[in-house]
Amino acid sequence: MPNPGEHHPAFEEYCECIFELREDDVEVIQARIAERLRVSRPSVSEMIKRMAEEKLLVVDAGKILLTDLGEETAVRIVRRHRIAERFMTDVLGLSWSLAHREAGRWEHVMSQEVEMAMLKVLEDPTTCPHGNPIPGSGYVPPVAHKLSDLAAGQHFTVSRIPEELEFTPGMLEFLENSSLVPGSAGVVRTNAKSGEMTVEVNGSSINVDPFATVRILVTV
């Protein structure tokens, strides 16, 4: 049974998904939720109906909006997920991809006491390992640009890897292995009309496909 003030993990998962789609400037409609969670559209439709009955969301002209209760649930889950990711990478030394998967479990069972203990050990981080803000941390994002907007010869520092890329199969492994991680500095070598780019990071040349270049956020 969920603790007082908490909800069934499935409801929490959907609130989290809606929050993150909005954060990534992706239209929050049932089709996008189905894609992100990899479930059927009829399943999403049924869950949205149940969550509306629980006062967690409303549907307005096809767009899905969290209520105050839904927002509170989403913030709690997203916060725990990102703290857990930071703990597992920084303290336990796990890979990005494994930490992301494990945090998806921890977020539903973590107590406030454990959350606060992790924050103390981590010395109050403001972002997850991928640069996404931890809700309630007071993080102020820098002025960032899409990697795809940069021209050949421009230098950059990776700022943020949006959640959409975290859910793309193999992407976290590729980015971590390529050192395309927040804080890493690089330079654009080529930017093709197709959107594919070649960048240099830590002396290594990396080909980055268009799906990633239009989503990776950098500062210049």
Side-chain angles (χ1 to χ4, degrees), residues 137-212:
S137 68
Y139 177 70
V140 179
V143 176
H145 308 270
K146 296 176 182 178
L147 180 59
S148 59
D149 290 341
L150 274 58
Q154 278 193 278
H155 290 260
F156 64 87
T157 300
V158 179
S159 174
R160 180 180 164 220
I161 307 299
E163 289 285 344
E164 190 171 8
L165 292 180
E166 294 188 41
F167 284 88
T168 303
M171 185 60 71
L172 285 181
E173 292 91 338
F174 166 74
L175 294 172
E176 187 173 26
N177 291 337
S178 302
S179 295
L180 277 170
V181 301
S184 289
V187 59
V188 177
R189 291 307 182 195
T190 64
N191 188 350
K193 289 183 179 180
S194 65
E196 183 167 318
M197 301 178 71
T198 301
V199 301
E200 183 178 319
V201 178
N202 293 339
S204 296
S205 183
I206 306 157
N207 294 323
V208 190
D209 68 35
F211 184 82

Side-chain angles (χ1 to χ4, degrees), residues 75 79 83 119 124-128 132-140:
V75 165
R79 176 178 167 84
I83 291 171
L119 286 174
D124 295 319
T126 57
T127 71
C128 76
N132 294 303
I134 294 173
S137 68
Y139 177 70
V140 179

Side-chain angles (χ1 to χ4, degrees), residues 17-141:
C17 178
I18 293 166
F19 180 99
E20 291 175 345
L21 287 172
R22 188 185 68 204
E23 184 179 55
D24 287 347
D25 293 324
V26 176
E27 187 177 25
V28 186
I29 58 176
Q30 291 191 19
R32 300 292 84 77
I33 293 174
E35 291 170 1
R36 176 66 62 89
L37 297 180
R38 298 181 190 175
V39 295
S40 69
R41 292 193 186 185
S43 295
V44 173
S45 179
E46 177 61 28
M47 182 62 76
I48 293 301
K49 185 184 303 182
R50 291 175 58 194
M51 291 177 68
E53 292 172 354
E54 294 289 330
K55 311 299 183 185
L56 291 166
L57 56 78
V58 295
V59 181
D60 182 12
K63 295 184 178 180
I64 299 165
L65 308 170
L66 292 172
T67 61
D68 288 345
L69 179 59
E71 185 76 12
E72 178 184 315
T73 300
V75 165
R76 183 180 68 251
I77 296 302
V78 171
R79 176 178 167 84
R80 290 177 178 177
H81 182 101
R82 293 178 181 175
I83 291 171
E85 281 184 319
R86 177 63 77 179
F87 182 82
M88 284 187 269
T89 56
D90 291 15
V91 177
L92 302 183
L94 300 183
S95 69
W96 269 15
S97 57
L98 180 54
H100 178 68
R101 291 196 301 272
E102 288 298 320
R105 300 183 178 95
W106 287 27
E107 66 190 23
H108 300 296
V109 298
M110 187 188 301
S111 68
Q112 187 173 12
E113 290 80 5
V114 170
E115 177 185 324
M116 298 308 294
M118 284 185 180
L119 286 174
K120 184 176 180 180
V121 170
L122 293 167
E123 299 182 346
D124 295 319
T126 57
T127 71
C128 76
H130 319 111
N132 294 303
I134 294 173
S137 68
Y139 177 70
V140 179

Side-chain angles (χ1 to χ4, degrees), residues 205-220:
S205 183
I206 306 157
N207 294 323
V208 190
D209 68 35
F211 184 82
T213 62
V214 298
R215 290 169 174 82
I216 296 171
L217 297 179
V218 301
T219 56
V220 297

